[in-house]
């Protein structure tokens, strides 16, 4: 067990960060690198960087010009990714990213038979079925819907853990796994999806704080305040001010601020002394602090190359290849990435808090009218708390079993107490519960040693 990677996973859900893995003696080749192995001395390997994402500054473009250029680049990317001599399909969540790919394909290939595959949650709060149906009808797509019961998750967990090889962030990875399984059952061998768009175009709610920090660093406090107030009114953005405060505080004060905000770096269910003995210093994953005028751009770069995207691509690669499917990601081309990251930050996160603003504008007239205007963010989300509550006895057995007690990084009594409080609604639910369950299953599947 790699104790530093274990902390990052349990506390922040972070995997695939750099060259290290959760196995202490197993490394991976980081993004943009290759490994040189001299035949005369194969033990002396060398990592060589062959590519780095360098934004192409385009502050000379108006918002409208930027949207037109982005539309052109996006359509060309989809056109190239549609080339196939085997049956081809699409993952479709109903969000702007996957919808845009499906609609672009229909625009480019009016006569092509299109098949899309969608996970449909039974919980209305996270279901995007109405948007899936809207896109399917508008584009003449045959939509194959995947519905999942909690019992299926419990049944398939061991095989999914072995497919992934390392722990993963949430049960949405299982939903993705089932979508690829369904695609394979329908004879599909190539799939296009919207992976990478959230990291490229600031689709996650956390990016709002980075934009506020950029405005403040640029000497525009009134714009920063206006942006923060508007952002806080949008669904899921209520805690943005806490993230902003976390960015403005010095590193020395951040642990105290997190603890006061209920986000301690070492919550009671983590064994602080075990990590301390191994020299693991609790800290947030991002290193993007200090004075700079492009907080948002730098955070997007970090997400694309170091934190969020590498693990999401690993999840997808493992899930797709488990079903012998080639997965393609039209948003992730060098030309698109260089162009988008070179645009003014206000084109990506608009003054009213709208994410992916320039892309939404680029897709007007291409995707159904209601999709570009969506303010919520769901994206293959699962009703995780409902599933885990339905599986209460199974979860309880995992958290009371010997496997969890063999993981000294966790405090079993606190874990069990926390789970019961979450299940009864007395504590806020987040993905930490899944990380405990997943870590136990992974430990058993691979015989992981902690000491």
């Amino acid at each position: 067990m790699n104790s530093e990677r274990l902390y990052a996973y349990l506390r922040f859900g972070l995997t695939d960060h750099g060259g290290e893995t959760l196995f202490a003696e197993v490394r991976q080749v980081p993004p943009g690198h290759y490994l040189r192995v001299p035949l005369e001395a194969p033990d002396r390997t060398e990592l060589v960087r062959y590519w780095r994402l360098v934004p192409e500054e385009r502050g000379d473009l108006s918002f409208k010009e930027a949207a037109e250029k982005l539309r052109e680049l996006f359509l060309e990317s989809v056109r190239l990714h549609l080339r196939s001599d085997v049956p081809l399909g699409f993952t479709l969540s109903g969000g702007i990213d996957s919808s845009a790919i499906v609609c672009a394909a229909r625009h480019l290939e009016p006569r092509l038979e299109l098949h899309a595959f969608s996970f449909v949650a039974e919980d209305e709060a996270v279901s995007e079925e109405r948007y899936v149906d809207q896109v399917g009808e508008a584009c003449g797509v045959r939509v194959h819907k995947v519905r999942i019961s909690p019992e299926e998750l419990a049944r398939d967990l061991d095989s999914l853990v072995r497919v992934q090889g390392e722990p993963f962030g949430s049960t949405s990875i299982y939903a993705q796994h089932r979508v690829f399984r369904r695609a394979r059952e329908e004879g599909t061998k190539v799939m296009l999806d919207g992976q990478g768009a959230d990291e490229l175009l600031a689709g996650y709610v956390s990016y709002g704080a980075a934009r506020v920090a950029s405005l403040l660093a640029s000497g525009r406090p009134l714009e920063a305040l206006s942006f923060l107030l508007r952002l806080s009114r949008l669904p899921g953005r209520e805690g943005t001010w806490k993230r902003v405060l976390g960015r403005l505080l010095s590193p020395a004060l951040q642990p105290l601020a997190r603890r006061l905000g209920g986000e301690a770096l070492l919550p009671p269910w983590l064994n602080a002394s075990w990590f301390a003995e191994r020299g693991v210093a609790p800290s947030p994953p991002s290193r993007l602090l200090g004075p700079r005028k492009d907080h948002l751009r730098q955070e997007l770069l970090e997400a694309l190359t170091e934190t969020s995207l590498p693990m999401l691509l690993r999840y997808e690669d493992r899930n797709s290849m488990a079903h012998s499917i080639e997965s393609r990601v039209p948003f992730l081309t060098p030309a698109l990435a260089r162009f988008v990251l070179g645009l003014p930050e206000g084109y990506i996160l608009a003054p009213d808090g709208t994410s992916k603003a320039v892309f939404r504008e680029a897709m007007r007239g291409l995707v159904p009218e209601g999709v570009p205007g969506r303010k919520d963010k769901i994206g293959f989300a699962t009703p995780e708390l409902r599933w885990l509550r339905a599986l209460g006895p199974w979860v309880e057995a995992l958290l009371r079993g010997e496997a969890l007690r063999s993981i000294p990084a966790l405090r079993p009594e606190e874990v069990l107490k926390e789970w019961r409080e979450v299940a009864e609604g007395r504590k806020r639910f987040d993905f930490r519960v899944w990380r405990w369950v997943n870590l136990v299953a992974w430990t058993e599947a691979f015989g992981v040693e902690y000491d």
Side-chain angles (χ1 to χ4, degrees):
M1 165 54 62
N2 181 327
S3 53
E4 286 194 10
R5 294 297 96 215
L6 178 62
Y7 172 78
Y9 172 68
L10 285 172
R11 182 59 190 84
F12 299 105
L14 187 63
T15 62
D16 300 85
H17 190 187
E20 295 185 354
T21 72
L22 274 156
F23 293 106
E25 302 301 325
V26 179
R27 296 182 64 81
Q28 60 188 4
V29 181
H33 290 73
Y34 65 81
L35 190 70
R36 177 182 288 132
V37 184
L39 294 180
E40 69 281 3
D43 58 324
R44 294 204 296 270
T45 59
E46 178 190 5
L47 274 175
V48 182
R49 178 182 281 277
Y50 66 84
W51 187 74
R52 188 186 303 273
L53 176 51
V54 179
E56 172 191 325
E57 294 289 344
R58 295 309 306 263
D60 58 315
L61 297 176
S62 68
F63 182 77
K64 186 174 185 300
E65 290 169 336
E68 290 172 352
K69 179 63 176 176
L70 181 54
R71 182 184 177 109
E72 175 189 321
L73 288 170
F74 179 70
L75 286 173
E76 175 62 8
S77 179
V78 173
R79 185 187 70 79
L80 293 173
H81 283 82
L82 286 174
R83 295 181 299 186
S84 176
D85 55 3
V86 294
L88 177 146
F90 306 82
T91 61
L92 177 61
S93 69
I96 179 67
D97 312 326
S98 60
S99 299
I101 292 173
V102 172
C103 294
R106 173 54 73 218
H107 173 78
L108 293 164
E109 297 285 351
R111 296 183 179 85
L112 187 67
E113 183 180 353
L114 301 183
H115 291 256
F117 299 85
S118 304
F119 164 68
V120 175
E122 301 299 331
D123 189 340
E124 280 297 317
V126 294
S127 176
E128 297 182 276
E129 186 173 15
R130 62 189 182 280
Y131 298 111
V132 168
D133 292 341
Q134 190 178 352
V135 173
E137 184 177 344
C139 297
V141 180
R142 183 181 173 191
V143 179
H144 306 266
K145 297 178 181 179
V146 174
R147 303 178 191 273
I148 299 173
S149 70
E151 293 73 23
E152 290 173 302
L153 169 64
R155 180 197 68 201
D156 291 342
L157 178 60
D158 287 344
S159 62
L160 181 61
V161 165
R162 292 185 178 277
V163 163
Q164 286 295 323
E166 290 186 79
F168 44 94
S170 73
T171 53
S172 64
I173 309 308
Y174 178 57
Q176 184 191 66
H177 183 80
R178 290 289 300 275
V179 164
F180 280 120
R181 180 196 294 178
R182 178 64 184 277
R184 179 60 177 176
E185 289 169 354
E186 296 293 333
T188 303
K189 296 187 177 180
V190 173
M191 292 273 280
L192 276 64
D193 77 18
Q195 201 72 268
D198 286 319
E199 289 77 12
L200 193 61
L201 292 155
Y204 299 128
V205 297
S206 59
Y207 291 127
R211 178 58 181 152
V212 174
S214 289
L215 290 169
L216 290 173
S218 301
R220 297 148 70 185
L222 293 180
E223 285 184 57
L225 179 60
S226 173
F227 178 79
L228 180 57
L229 290 174
R230 291 185 178 189
L231 197 66
S232 298
R233 298 188 191 107
L234 297 178
R237 270 79 167 181
E238 301 82 2
T240 300
W241 66 271
K242 290 184 182 179
R243 299 187 185 99
V244 173
L245 186 61
R247 282 182 162 274
L248 298 179
L249 290 174
S250 68
L253 291 175
Q254 286 203 22
L256 175 61
R258 282 180 171 272
R259 191 161 57 250
L260 292 174
E263 297 181 355
L265 292 173
L266 280 170
W269 46 267
L270 278 178
N271 187 344
S273 61
W274 186 86
F275 285 106
E277 289 167 5
R278 284 150 186 80
V280 178
S283 62
S286 178
R287 301 186 298 274
L288 301 178
L289 301 169
R292 60 186 326 131
K293 296 183 180 180
D294 60 347
H295 280 263
L296 176 58
R297 180 184 299 181
Q298 293 304 317
E299 186 157 316
L300 293 175
L301 270 168
E302 184 182 59
L304 279 163
T305 60
E306 295 185 41
T307 53
S308 175
L309 189 61
M311 62 182 180
L312 293 176
L313 291 178
R314 191 255 294 178
Y315 301 157
E316 178 160 339
D317 185 57
R318 294 295 187 100
N319 276 338
S320 61
M321 292 312 297
H323 303 292
S324 300
I325 287 177
E326 177 191 334
S327 185
R328 298 179 180 177
V329 284
F331 280 97
L332 296 177
T333 67
L336 265 173
R338 284 196 299 264
F339 177 76
V340 171
L341 291 179
L343 295 174
E345 289 186 358
Y347 288 11
I348 299 173
L349 264 181
D352 66 353
T354 300
S355 64
K356 307 178 183 178
V358 68
F359 185 68
R360 293 176 192 273
E361 181 63 27
M363 295 298 103
R364 299 256 175 219
L366 190 67
V367 302
E369 188 175 341
V371 176
R374 288 184 61 184
K375 301 290 186 182
D376 58 336
K377 168 65 182 167
I378 299 177
F380 265 62
T382 59
E384 190 157 299
L385 177 57
R386 180 178 291 189
W387 281 0
L388 293 175
R389 278 176 172 162
L391 295 169
W394 176 76
V395 174
E396 185 98 1
L398 278 174
L399 301 184
R400 291 174 65 93
E402 285 303 312
L404 187 134
R405 295 184 178 278
S406 73
I407 303 175
L410 294 173
R411 300 176 63 197
E413 292 77 13
E414 289 293 335
V415 166
L416 199 57
K417 176 186 172 187
E418 190 106 345
W419 155 246
R420 288 171 178 168
E421 290 176 338
V422 168
E424 293 166 7
R426 290 184 286 121
K427 268 200 173 180
R428 179 179 60 87
F429 170 78
D430 63 23
F431 295 131
R432 68 191 184 281
V433 178
W434 173 254
R435 293 172 204 153
W436 304 332
V437 170
N438 197 191
L439 187 67
V440 169
W442 179 71
T443 299
E444 290 185 310
F446 290 94
V448 179
E449 296 180 358
Y450 290 80
D451 286 315

